[in-house]
Amino acid sequence: MGTQGSDEQGRGTGRRALLGAAVLGAGGAVLGLPGAARAEERHGGGGYKSLPVPTVIGHRGASGYRPEHTLGAYQLALDMGADVIEAGDLVPTKDGHLVCRHEPEIGGTTDVSAHPEFAGRKTTKTLDGVATTGWFTEDFTLAELKTLRAKERIPANRPHNTLYDGRWEIPTFEEVLRWRNEQTRKRGKQVWIYPELKHPTYFRKLGLGLEERVAKVLRKYGMDEKNSPVILQSFEPTGIQRLNKLVGNPLVVLLSGASTRPWDFVETGDPRTVADLVKPAGLKWIASYAQGIGPTLDLIIPKDASGNLTTPTTLVKDAHAEGLILHPYTMRNENPFLPANFRKGTDADGYGDAFGAFKTYFATGIDGVFTDNPDTGLLAREDFVNG
């Protein structure tokens, strides 16, 4: 939203007009898509349909430049002009508060290992079937977590970000919502956020159900309605189904690699894989309770054995046919994260041809993209819309 987005929407010609029609059709009845009426009935009128297209989503903030999931990363993404901020991968504390971390294991994203008073908390747990060693948020009270400071998660790729290690606390979801409200007042326009519920099945088994906690906090701040500027996402479809009954917010099912199964499916014995969910029947099922999908970019354009992009799949067309928007993840500037045919040199922290990669993905008709580099995404969108 905002001036830049409004100007782009006002052009009404060329690629922008076509893409705008696509997203309107995904959320409403403009294109007469089969899933549109269902989405409109459940969470209709949501302002997500008026976001610029392709929507540039600051992935964990501007995490290409600041340690992820910190108020510093969120603020920078907003200042850069990101349309939406992924403010919050939500995980619970021991005393039931929701905090923003990429994973419940915080050894890689905080200075917890430097705190001798917490040395005894280090442990090994099975997280979605994988043995994981470290420190976990559910073993700390909020007061204890507030003594820690965030640090860069991938310093080999982003050594410059280590300058900011130790600068910011772990934010709570409530702090993020208060920050969002403050920024909305200051800027005179809605600030959109896009929290993710992490590992709902894992936490439900611990008696720390996420969906109810998220809904309660959103209700407290008046942010649980269909017009609220908060999009909710999760890799577990059953978590999104629960949210569908608890809140009016637009909902998005995240999708990993084609051969994987959502962990809630593993737990319940559902044999379907992501490959099944991206087929028309699977997409129709998702459209019965959600407004969009967040697929990995490889589900949009697969790579060959050398890591080069190949031919796009039909996922964009098939999802739009069911009234679903698509917000794939994740675009990053650094060479190791780009398709091989867009890399330049071999430096792990060196930038490749990110603009070329953005253009290629935008050309598939996706409705938006998560990116660690919102400034690059916005310039790439400008090039694509005007080109």
Side-chain angles (χ1 to χ4, degrees):
M1 298 175 73
T3 303
Q4 181 179 6
S6 298
D7 290 345
E8 288 173 355
Q9 289 172 325
R11 293 188 184 112
T13 58
R15 290 186 179 119
R16 185 67 187 87
L18 291 172
L19 291 170
V23 77
L24 286 171
V30 175
L31 296 184
L33 301 178
R38 296 196 300 274
E40 194 72 8
E41 184 177 312
R42 287 189 312 277
H43 303 260
Y48 72 97
K49 293 181 291 183
S50 66
L51 289 167
V53 182
T55 306
V56 174
I57 305 158
H59 183 240
R60 306 173 196 163
S63 52
Y65 312 104
R66 300 288 188 272
E68 64 191 30
H69 284 316
T70 59
L71 288 178
Y74 300 157
Q75 186 66 51
L76 182 58
L78 188 60
D79 291 343
M80 284 180 167
D83 304 310
V84 184
I85 315 297
E86 191 192 27
D89 280 347
L90 302 179
V91 293
T93 66
K94 184 178 182 179
D95 46 350
H97 296 277
L98 294 171
V99 296
C100 304
R101 288 291 84 194
H102 171 47
E103 289 288 339
E105 197 291 301
I106 55 174
T109 60
T110 73
D111 62 356
V112 65
S113 64
H115 286 250
E117 68 272 26
F118 297 137
R121 306 279 179 94
K122 188 175 184 180
T123 187
T124 299
K125 300 189 180 189
T126 300
L127 185 62
D128 290 5
V130 178
T132 305
T133 299
W135 292 262
F136 295 79
T137 59
E138 66 268 23
D139 295 331
F140 291 78
T141 66
L142 178 59
E144 290 173 330
L145 286 180
K146 282 296 186 178
T147 67
L148 307 180
R149 293 297 179 268
K151 69 177 185 180
E152 173 57 39
R153 184 175 61 88
I154 47 173
N157 303 110
R158 292 169 180 169
H160 301 297
N161 284 12
T162 61
L163 171 66
Y164 305 100
D165 285 358
R167 192 173 186 91
W168 290 288
E169 298 179 351
I170 297 174
T172 68
F173 187 33
E174 290 202 51
E175 286 170 343
V176 166
L177 288 171
R178 291 195 291 269
W179 168 81
R180 190 221 73 86
N181 290 345
E182 179 186 8
Q183 293 300 316
T184 292
R185 287 192 296 269
K186 285 182 176 179
R187 296 165 188 267
K189 63 179 182 180
Q190 288 287 4
V191 171
W192 280 77
I193 62 172
Y194 209 139
E196 178 188 343
L197 281 68
K198 303 292 289 196
H199 309 290
T201 296
Y202 170 80
F203 285 117
R204 186 166 291 278
K205 284 188 169 184
L206 296 178
L208 293 168
L210 292 180
E211 298 90 343
E212 295 83 3
R213 283 175 168 79
V214 170
K216 182 178 179 180
V217 173
L218 288 174
R219 281 195 299 271
K220 177 179 177 180
Y221 288 84
M223 288 286 164
D224 62 327
E225 303 295 334
K226 62 185 180 183
N227 291 314
S228 300
V230 180
I231 305 170
L232 298 172
Q233 56 178 331
S234 178
F235 277 100
E236 296 191 13
T238 55
I240 295 298
Q241 288 176 311
R242 284 194 184 93
L243 286 171
N244 185 48
K245 298 176 182 178
L246 294 170
V247 299
N249 305 75
L251 306 172
V252 170
V253 175
L254 296 169
L255 299 169
S256 189
S259 63
T260 66
R261 290 165 67 199
W263 186 250
D264 52 336
F265 284 16
V266 175
E267 289 277 348
T268 60
D270 189 324
R272 289 177 295 174
T273 65
V274 168
D276 295 314
L277 296 182
V278 297
K279 293 176 181 177
L283 294 169
K284 183 176 183 179
W285 176 71
I286 291 174
S288 69
Y289 59 86
Q291 285 64 57
I293 58 173
T296 175
L297 285 165
D298 286 348
L299 293 174
I300 304 295
I301 309 179
K303 298 186 183 80
D304 62 20
S306 299
N308 296 302
L309 294 184
T310 59
T311 303
T313 67
T314 62
L315 180 55
V316 173
K317 175 180 68 68
D318 294 341
H320 282 165
E322 290 298 333
L324 295 166
I325 58 172
L326 298 94
H327 290 159
Y329 64 93
T330 305
M331 271 297 301
R332 300 177 169 101
N333 286 356
E334 294 91 358
N335 278 310
F337 305 114
L338 289 168
N341 42 327
F342 292 99
R343 296 173 190 162
K344 293 182 177 181
T346 57
D347 290 346
D349 63 337
Y351 283 6
D353 180 16
F355 289 117
F358 268 110
K359 180 180 179 180
T360 302
Y361 288 118
F362 285 162
T364 65
I366 58 175
D367 302 292
V369 67
F370 288 84
T371 176
D372 289 6
N373 308 89
D375 53 341
T376 307
L378 290 164
L379 287 171
R381 180 176 71 192
E382 184 177 346
D383 293 343
F384 179 71
V385 168
N386 293 331

